[in-house]
């Protein structure tokens, strides 16, 4: 795909496109086994003909305006339909459901088993949307000029910039690593529009579990995590812990080139 084609597609609201694509991809009836809007991650566990699959979405406490949500039915399609709601709770559950369906269909053949830092090469300025500290530290140690943007006051530090500066600074970046939470707070379209000059655009994190093919033409890579021990991860999430979520015992980090 030519670069001009990649740029031209960012005018479309990506979350609405994502909803259409995943609803079209579903080819069997899934059962919702368990779900919870919880800290630090909301999760949805589904069951299909091939077994169980779990999808995650980080819970953005700072963006919750009210603590009410409403679903006509507790089923996969109903949850997914809410992913473009203005209610953050509904959006989060919707995205976790999209991720659960995506992980059910995900084929790891062709993936690289590393975190997002393995993608960054031959660039100077790197923007990181969301203070993902392990990634930030690795890239700084490798000598890149790193700009970290963060909205959550609890995650800000002396080394982070407010997300209000993304609009002016992103056009100067060579690479942009975007937290999957940008799909929840609906900042993804602005970020991509302002990052037109960046040759590397990566959606990153556990919230970025959607099928890579859904983002073709918008991003260059997806970097996320495949849960391999659903039972253990589910127990940890119920206890409000994500400390082992990214350990090799419970999951596998991966990234795809989707150009």
């Amino acid at each position: 795909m030519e670069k001009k084609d990649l740029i031209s597609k960012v005018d479309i609201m990506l979350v609405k496109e994502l909803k259409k694509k995943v609803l079209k991809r579903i080819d069997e009836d899934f059962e919702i086994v368990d779900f919870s809007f919880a800290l630090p991650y909301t999760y949805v566990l589904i069951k299909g003909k091939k077994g169980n699959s779990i999808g995650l979405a980080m819970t953005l406490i700072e963006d919750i305006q009210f603590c009410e949500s409403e679903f006509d039915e507790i089923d996969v399609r109903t949850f997914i339909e809410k992913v473009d709601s203005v209610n953050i709770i509904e959006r989060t559950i919707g995205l976790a459901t999209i991720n659960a369906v995506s992980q059910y269909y995900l084929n790891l053949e062709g993936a690289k088993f590393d975190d997002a830092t393995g993608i960054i090469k031959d660039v100077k300025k790197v923007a990181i949307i969301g203070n993902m500290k392990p990634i930030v530290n690795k890239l700084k140690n490798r000598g890149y000029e790193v700009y970290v943007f963060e909205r959550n006051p609890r995650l800000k530090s002396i080394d982070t910039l407010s997300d209000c500066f993304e609009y002016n600074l992103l056009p100067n970046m060579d690479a942009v690593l975007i937290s999957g939470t940008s799909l929840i707070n609906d900042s993804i379209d602005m970020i991509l529009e302002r990052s037109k000059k960046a040759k590397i655009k990566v959606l990153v994190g556990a919230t970025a579990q959607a099928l890579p093919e859904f983002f073709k033409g918008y991003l260059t890579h997806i970097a996320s995590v495949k849960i391999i021990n659903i039972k253990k991860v589910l127990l940890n999430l119920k206890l409000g812990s994500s400390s082992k979520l990214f350990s090799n015992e419970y999951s596998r980090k991966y990234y795809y080139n989707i150009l």
Side-chain angles (χ1 to χ4, degrees):
M1 177 173 290
E2 294 183 6
K3 188 173 182 180
K4 65 180 181 180
D5 295 326
L6 189 66
I7 292 173
S8 66
K9 288 195 174 184
V10 298
D11 295 327
I12 299 172
M13 288 184 286
L14 187 51
V15 172
K16 289 185 179 294
E17 286 294 300
L18 179 61
K19 181 173 80 170
K20 291 178 184 178
K21 289 176 180 177
V22 72
L23 288 172
K24 186 177 180 180
R25 180 67 177 83
I26 294 172
D27 59 5
E28 63 177 276
D29 292 327
F30 292 110
E31 174 191 354
I32 292 182
V33 178
D34 192 7
F35 73 96
S36 181
F37 181 77
L39 291 174
Y41 285 95
T42 291
Y43 67 85
V44 175
L45 178 66
I46 65 171
K47 182 178 181 180
K49 295 176 182 178
K50 298 186 294 183
N52 290 351
S53 175
I54 190 168
L56 310 175
M58 181 169 280
T59 302
L60 303 180
I61 294 297
E62 68 274 16
D63 287 326
I64 297 174
Q65 303 94 340
F66 45 87
C67 295
E68 294 182 4
S69 60
E70 185 175 348
F71 295 91
D72 296 329
E73 300 286 343
I74 305 300
D75 63 55
V76 165
R77 288 183 178 271
T78 301
F79 277 10
I80 291 173
E81 286 287 352
K82 292 285 191 175
V83 75
D84 54 355
S85 166
V86 295
N87 182 314
I88 293 294
I89 297 174
E90 293 172 355
R91 289 180 75 98
T92 306
I93 293 173
L95 185 57
T97 309
I98 287 174
N99 289 341
V101 171
S102 294
Q103 292 291 300
Y104 182 84
Y105 291 118
L106 182 68
N107 183 348
L108 289 175
E109 184 178 351
K112 302 291 185 182
F113 296 103
D114 195 0
D115 63 27
T117 60
I119 301 166
I120 305 303
K121 297 175 183 177
D122 303 321
V123 297
K124 181 179 179 182
K125 294 183 178 181
V126 181
I128 302 180
I129 312 297
N131 189 13
M132 297 173 275
K133 293 181 181 179
I135 290 175
V136 172
N137 292 336
K138 283 185 180 181
L139 292 178
K140 283 185 175 180
N141 290 338
R142 286 167 53 184
Y144 292 105
E145 190 176 331
V146 178
Y147 298 77
V148 185
F149 300 90
E150 180 55 61
R151 175 179 296 187
N152 187 341
R154 295 179 60 188
L155 298 178
K156 289 181 178 179
S157 70
I158 194 171
D159 297 319
T160 61
L161 298 167
S162 169
D163 65 327
C164 68
F165 295 112
E166 291 170 2
Y167 188 87
N168 285 329
L169 294 179
L170 287 180
N172 302 317
M173 299 296 147
D174 305 312
V176 182
L177 276 63
I178 310 164
S179 169
T181 59
S182 62
L183 296 168
I184 300 174
N185 62 31
D186 216 20
S187 60
I188 184 68
D189 294 288
M190 183 279 293
I191 292 168
L192 290 176
E193 194 279 330
R194 299 303 290 170
S195 303
K196 289 178 180 179
K197 294 181 181 179
K199 68 176 185 179
I200 299 173
K201 302 180 185 73
V202 191
L203 197 66
V204 183
T207 312
Q209 289 179 310
L211 282 172
E213 64 199 57
F214 293 157
F215 300 97
K216 190 173 180 62
Y218 301 97
L219 300 161
T220 62
H221 299 78
I222 293 287
S224 193
V225 59
K226 175 71 175 178
I227 305 302
I228 57 176
N229 191 330
I230 292 178
K231 184 177 180 179
K232 290 287 188 180
V233 165
L234 192 60
L235 176 60
N236 276 261
L237 292 173
K238 286 178 180 292
L239 294 172
S241 173
S242 63
S243 60
K244 294 185 178 180
L245 181 60
F246 299 100
S247 70
N248 291 332
E249 180 184 359
Y250 291 170
S251 63
R252 298 192 74 181
K253 297 175 186 176
Y254 65 85
Y255 69 79
Y256 276 89
N257 184 328
I258 53 176
L259 278 178

